[in-house]
């Protein structure tokens, strides 16, 4: 247990957490909406610091990050808890759990960094559940990792306040942000959150020089409307430019949304076409088995530069961040 960052005292031992836009007001002995931050006697504590409930070495492509050290591995950790409550969550057994209800390993930041170095991982990924809710654990680990030359990546819902985000930006090298949809209605009904803070996070990460990729999970009838996808792509292009890699992925029935069918591959491919038509340069169709949709091609000459087979890289022809035609390919390549 570690005293939390970003909270203030209120009356009668009540505190207010300012880590995410929920800004929970939490009475003594109670927890915030994410279940993992508890008021103990008028002070706010993180209940998941050093308590990893998921640990694995993953290909960086699995996050997904396609323009960030391709072919490398990421030492990946997660804890219990989340500040969103997506009805389709694939990791709900940990993300929607109380910390005492999941099995955890004691894994202090120093051990994570040591394990990452010893296993040859080029990065540590804070993933599986939402890294915002284990912020202090992420921050301490990321600081240590940076000193050892290991990069830090977050796979994140983007629902965080600006002040903690700016602090995190000092230590994070890359982020895959879930842009889950592009209407408040969708965010409110399906995730229990709202859109604007996520957009603010994406802009801030980009402005602070963190490498950003975006993922949108498409759910039939709920967020696959072509006009909304167009609007989203225009926002991306206008605010962070056409070079941000955009991953569309397919929904599979899960958790509270077992009543809907899986997303057909055509829906994912259609979204990809829309994004390309709107001028986004690198658009990927994830988790559907369609040949070549995970490859990276040069937008100028069309040469296929990175050939992927699911999460493995078969060939990478990006040299000095460029295509052989001289066009600069955005990303972190070394
Ligand atoms: S991080 Fe948790 S406790 Fe803090 S405001 Fe967000 S949901 Fe509430």
């Amino acid at each position: 247990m570690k005293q939390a960052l970003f909270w203030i005292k209120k009356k009668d031992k009540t505190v207010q957490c300012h880590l995410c836009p929920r800004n929970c007001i939490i009475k003594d002995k109670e927890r915030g909406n994410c279940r993992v931050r508890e008021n103990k006697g008028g002070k706010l504590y993180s209940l998941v610091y050093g308590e990893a409930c998921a640990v694995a070495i993953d290909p960086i492509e699995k996050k997904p990050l396609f323009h960030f050290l391709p072919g490398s591995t990421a030492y990946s950790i997660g804890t219990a808890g989340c500040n969103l409550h997506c009805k389709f969550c694939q990791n709900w057994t940990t993300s929607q759990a109380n910390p005492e209800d999941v099995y955890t390993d004691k894994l202090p930041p120093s051990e994570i960094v040591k394990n990452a170095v010893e296993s040859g991982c080029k990065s540590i990924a804070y993933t599986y559940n939402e890294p915002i809710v284990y912020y202090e654990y992420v921050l301490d680990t990321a600081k240590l990792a940076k000193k050892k030359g290991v990069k830090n990546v977050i796979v994140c819902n983007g629902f965080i306040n600006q002040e903690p985000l700016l602090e995190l930006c000092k230590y994070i090298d890359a982020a895959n942000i879930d842009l889950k949809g592009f209407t408040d209605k969708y965010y409110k009904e399906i995730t229990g959150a709202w859109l604007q803070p996520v957009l603010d996070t994406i802009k801030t990460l980009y402005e602070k020089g963190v490498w950003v990729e975006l993922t949108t999970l498409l759910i039939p009838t709920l967020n696959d409307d072509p006009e909304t996808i167009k609007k989203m792509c225009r926002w991306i292009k206008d605010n962070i430019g056409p070079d941000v890699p955009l991953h569309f992925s397919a929904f599979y029935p899960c958790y509270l949304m077992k009543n809907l069918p899986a997303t057909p591959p055509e829906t994912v491919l259609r979204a990809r076409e829309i994004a390309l038509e709107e001028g986004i340069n690198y658009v990927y169709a994830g988790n559907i088995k369609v040949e070549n949709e995970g490859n990276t091609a040069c937008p100028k000459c069309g040469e296929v530069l990175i050939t992927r087979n699911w999460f493995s890289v078969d060939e990478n022809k990006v040299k000095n961040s460029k295509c052989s035609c001289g066009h600069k390919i955005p990303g972190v390549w070394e």
Side-chain angles (χ1 to χ4, degrees), residues 17 19-20 22-24 26 32-34 37 83:
C17 178
L19 180 53
C20 91
R22 293 194 188 281
N23 294 312
C24 297
I26 310 169
N33 175 283
C34 57
R37 297 168 82 76
N83 56 347

Side-chain angles (χ1 to χ4, degrees), residues 107-151:
L107 198 59
S110 58
E111 207 162 317
I112 295 172
V113 177
K114 182 171 161 278
N115 293 351
V117 171
E118 285 176 3
S119 53
C121 293
K122 290 197 176 164
S123 59
I124 295 169
Y126 309 94
T127 178
Y128 303 133
N129 67 321
E130 176 48 55
I132 293 165
V133 307
Y134 55 100
Y135 183 93
E136 296 77 12
Y137 193 18
V138 175
L139 197 65
D140 285 0
T141 309
K143 284 178 183 173
L144 279 180
K146 198 173 169 75
K147 281 189 196 155
K148 295 279 180 194
V150 178
K151 297 201 185 304

Side-chain angles (χ1 to χ4, degrees), residues 61 66 247 272 283-286 288 290-297 304 306-310 312:
E61 284 74 20
F66 276 16
H247 303 258
R272 182 174 182 271
V283 191
Y284 300 102
I288 54 166
V290 179
E291 222 174 316
N292 301 330
E293 296 305 325
N295 292 347
T296 300
V304 174
I306 305 178
T307 313
R308 299 183 183 84
N309 184 3
W310 286 102
S312 70

